[in-house]
Amino acid sequence: MRGGEGPAGRVPRPASRREEREVLDSLSALARPRLSGSAGAEQVAVELRQRFQALGYRVDELSFSFSAWPGRFGLPAVGLLYLAAMMAATVLLLGGRGAAALVPLGALVPAL
């Protein structure tokens, strides 16, 4: 099949304005910032469930548990560690202790 061709070698027709609008409305309804367990996440789950059921799919929900801490606070915590190590290395470099400045920077390696 060459690029731009659909099944059986047919070139698909361009989407109509109505179809484009429906796709954009669907994407804007689903592609929005949301945290797991929030009201926004539940709204998107309901929307997806309804869309799949309307297409004839059976939807099974599986429950699970997880900690939101890493996603919510992990990146800022690692950022603070990097900031503190960089500040310590800067102070050591300005104090003429270049070799000692490698210690706080080396401590960051396990955080990678």
Side-chain angles (χ1 to χ4, degrees):
M1 196 179 316
R2 290 183 306 212
E5 292 183 357
R10 285 182 264 141
V11 177
R13 66 171 175 75
S16 69
R17 294 268 187 215
R18 182 184 59 79
E19 290 170 327
E20 287 176 359
R21 190 172 31 256
E22 286 177 2
V23 168
L24 289 174
D25 289 345
S26 295
L27 289 174
S28 62
L30 299 174
R32 57 182 166 194
R34 59 195 178 274
L35 293 174
S36 297
S38 68
E42 179 60 29
Q43 290 169 351
V44 170
V46 168
E47 176 73 20
L48 286 171
R49 186 179 320 110
Q50 290 171 348
R51 287 175 188 247
F52 280 116
Q53 288 172 338
L55 292 169
Y57 289 97
R58 185 186 81 209
V59 178
D60 294 327
E61 293 186 41
L62 304 174
S63 63
F64 64 94
S65 62
F66 69 100
S67 172
W69 189 94
R72 203 171 283 172
F73 303 111
L75 188 58
V78 170
L80 285 174
L81 287 173
Y82 270 81
L83 179 63
M86 295 302 231
M87 289 174 66
T90 301
V91 168
L92 290 168
L93 280 172
L94 291 174
R97 300 178 63 199
L102 294 174
V103 173
L105 295 177
L108 294 176
V109 172
L112 297 176

